Amino acid sequence: MAYPTPTPWLNARTEARLANLLLYGTTAAVLIFFYIPIFTLIAFSFQEGRYPTLPFEGVSLKWYAALFQNSSAGDALYNSTVIAVVATLFATLIGSAAAIVAVRYRFRFRIPFTGLSAAPLAFPQLLLGIVLLLWFSVLGRTFDFNTGVTTAIIGHVVYITPFAMVIVAVQVFNFDSTLEDAARDCGASTLDVYRYITLPLLWPGIFSAGIFAFLLSWGNFYLTYSLAGSTRTLPTFVFSGIATGSSPLYPAIATVVFIPGILLVILADRMRRKG
């Protein structure tokens, strides 16, 4: 006896629409959840009143004027930039070399090398900062130096190098080594191969890794607080100011830092897509 084929409750087009609605709706909800606090902070930076409370007492740019006239904030921004730039250069260079070695070469201790290179990723920043502080304290008593910008740079390099390594490793993994073989067959030296073939093709990944490492270093609090000594960076400046009382000056700082950060992320993503 033949049974009638059951009619599906939803046709394929309706199912696709519901799936898209669920996907886009969930994505929008997550983005709203993430960005509402940020945009609220930005809104508070434009209010007239002394304290970031609702309702607004008026709209003003005076907190941005106060920010640019604040010499302590300028010094903190300068220190953050110096630490982030120097740490990024070292971390990107070391991470790129480690990524090339870990992905392209086969040697006896390759797996331990890769694991140890990525080990700082598993350390909480606070714990890593305390461990490095204890280490620098012992060395400081032995060689007579104090924590400051140099120790902060070293700590940042230890922390952000594995991130740079992972990002560059993705680019190295997708690299077509036959292009290098073709260049060698045409008479190119090893230096020429790296200069004209390898590095240009890996550059988008290296550039993206550098931007990501810079942002991780520039906004880092725990390592800087532990290792910078009396040197104040932007995160520690904000922390010390909020500890004594809230002010729209700090939402203004967050806004000034947030906008360049977003632009750098967009630039890194464009370079990654180009790569």
Side-chain angles (χ1 to χ4, degrees), residues 57-119:
E57 299 179 12
V59 179
S60 174
L61 294 175
K62 71 176 187 179
W63 297 110
Y64 288 93
L67 172 62
F68 291 110
Q69 294 172 1
N70 191 313
S71 59
S72 297
D75 293 339
L77 176 61
Y78 174 79
N79 292 331
S80 289
T81 305
V82 169
I83 292 173
V85 169
V86 176
T88 297
L89 291 176
F90 280 100
T92 305
L93 179 63
I94 298 171
S96 300
I100 293 173
V101 171
V103 175
R104 301 193 61 184
Y105 296 96
R106 299 293 181 267
F107 50 95
R108 184 175 181 181
F109 299 104
R110 175 173 170 268
I111 294 178
F113 169 80
T114 305
L116 290 174
S117 299

Side-chain angles (χ1 to χ4, degrees), residues 12-31:
R13 180 176 297 181
T14 305
E15 288 181 353
R17 289 178 178 176
L18 288 176
N20 290 334
L21 179 63
L22 179 62
L23 176 63
Y24 291 122
T26 303
T27 303
V30 171
L31 290 176

Side-chain angles (χ1 to χ4, degrees), residues 5-6 12 31 73 91 96 108 132 150 155 182 213 217 258 268 272:
T5 303
L31 290 176
S96 300
R108 184 175 181 181
L132 290 175
T150 302
S217 176
F258 172 73
R272 181 188 62 82

